[in-house]
Amino acid sequence: MTSQTVPVFDGHNDVLLRLMRRPGGEPERAFLDGDAMGHLDQPRMRAGGLAGGLFAIFVPSGESSGADELMAQATYDVPLPPQVPLSSAQAVTLRMAALLLRIERLSGGTVRICRSAADLRDCIANHVLAALLHIEGAEAIDPDFHMLDVLHAAGLRSLGPVWSRSNIFGHGVPFRFPSSPDIGPGLTEAGRALVRACNRRRIMIDLSHLNEAGFWDVAGLTDAPLVATHSNAHAVCPHSRNLTDRQLAAIRESRGMVGLNFATAFIRPDGQRNADTHLEDMIRHLDHLIEHVGVEGVGFGSDFDGATVPAVIGDARGLPRLLEAMRRHGYDEATIRKIAFENWIDVLRRTWGE
Ligand SMILES: [Zn+2]
């Protein structure tokens, strides 16, 4: 084991969803004290050097799409789940936002919801876990943006207009393998208004679950760097959720960023959800992303608690194994620090206009 400890700031986790669904009470304590379930809680973050990340609010679809089972097949095409009504999306969103606020309050200062890049830097320097409030799919946002303003005041700093589902703002990309991401229409008029509303409030727009038409719609409208918080290279794994070289070039052009997703179905060249996936397969994506976006445009977007990750990583405690594999592969310490946390802080600082 190396003596150097590099903190990791991560572009995507679903721990709030896991905690909300968890049987038994006191989900805040389960996070703070650790519950050894899923991939993430405070003790395991600290053990693995996970200093913070984007904590997603995600409204689950009513019934399971069967995506997990399908994505273990050789090829698949998971249908988009039905739309979620505004009122039920708002109820779930309120609950998950409150959960993160309560975790912060009960933590006694060990967890903080960050609202600026200065906050993030301060947390990482002082070993306070840095939580960034993010929405994955804007089902809870009304077309007049009342909810957007309330959530922004509660700390929201990042938003994906769609998950892999349709809503009033646009159409998400279905989970399909092998497939181009060019499936279906892009943003609606309301979606275009949402991009402008996020720009005005300096809320980061996450491209990860948009289809290709939606990606280009955002790219043509936004005044911020293009960011895909948890997506991989289509040239390595031709999954609909991954980014083509043309998309990567646009991200580079905007001085944007891609977070490496640890979901095995988006890593493996065969597109299968299979935990028997090697660190070298993840490094192939990093190499490709660095080549096409540049060393300043790559970070992590683990999808912890939202996906099947390689068994060799296991949970947040396994992050040092990935960093070690990057060292073995020849990445120098400066590159590793950029990918581990510096790039995220820098792109967020530029997005938020600090
Ligand atoms: Zn996602």
Side-chain angles (χ1 to χ4, degrees), residues 12-49:
H12 189 90
N13 76 64
D14 284 302
V15 72
L16 296 176
L17 178 67
R18 179 176 78 72
L19 293 169
M20 185 181 70
R21 287 173 154 173
R22 187 180 175 279
E26 303 202 16
E28 302 85 2
R29 288 256 64 96
F31 176 81
L32 291 168
D33 301 338
D35 67 355
M37 294 163 76
H39 298 140
L40 196 67
D41 51 35
Q42 172 165 245
R44 282 178 291 168
M45 286 180 76
R46 294 189 180 280

Side-chain angles (χ1 to χ4, degrees), residues 191-239:
R192 301 170 71 81
L194 177 63
V195 170
R196 290 187 285 265
C198 287
N199 279 172
R200 275 196 296 277
R201 291 160 182 78
R202 305 320 308 171
I203 295 172
M204 187 175 83
I205 297 159
D206 178 17
L207 300 161
S208 270
H209 281 270
L210 282 163
N211 59 29
E212 193 170 348
F215 177 99
W216 294 116
D217 283 345
V218 174
L221 271 171
T222 183
D223 63 9
L226 299 178
V227 175
T229 58
H230 58 307
S231 292
N232 293 341
H234 195 271
V236 179
C237 164
H239 197 292

Side-chain angles (χ1 to χ4, degrees), residues 12 136 163 209 230 241 303:
H12 189 90
E136 181 173 43
W163 181 65
H209 281 270
H230 58 307
R241 267 284 277 107
D303 225 339

Side-chain angles (χ1 to χ4, degrees), residues 29 31-32 42 46 51 103-113 123 126-131:
R29 288 256 64 96
F31 176 81
L32 291 168
Q42 172 165 245
R46 294 189 180 280
I103 285 172
E104 179 187 47
R105 193 173 67 227
L106 292 171
S107 76
T110 66
V111 179
R112 194 189 309 160
I113 300 175
C123 279
N126 294 297
H127 307 285
V128 174
L129 295 185

Side-chain angles (χ1 to χ4, degrees), residues 143-164:
D144 295 317
F145 307 128
H146 299 138
M147 188 68 163
L148 188 66
D149 279 329
V150 171
L151 287 172
H152 181 254
L156 183 76
R157 291 294 180 273
S158 172
L159 174 153
V162 293
W163 181 65
S164 289

Side-chain angles (χ1 to χ4, degrees), residues 154-176:
L156 183 76
R157 291 294 180 273
S158 172
L159 174 153
V162 293
W163 181 65
S164 289
R165 188 166 59 196
S166 295
N167 62 27
I168 62 167
F169 302 112
H171 308 277
V173 70
F175 299 104
R176 194 180 287 182

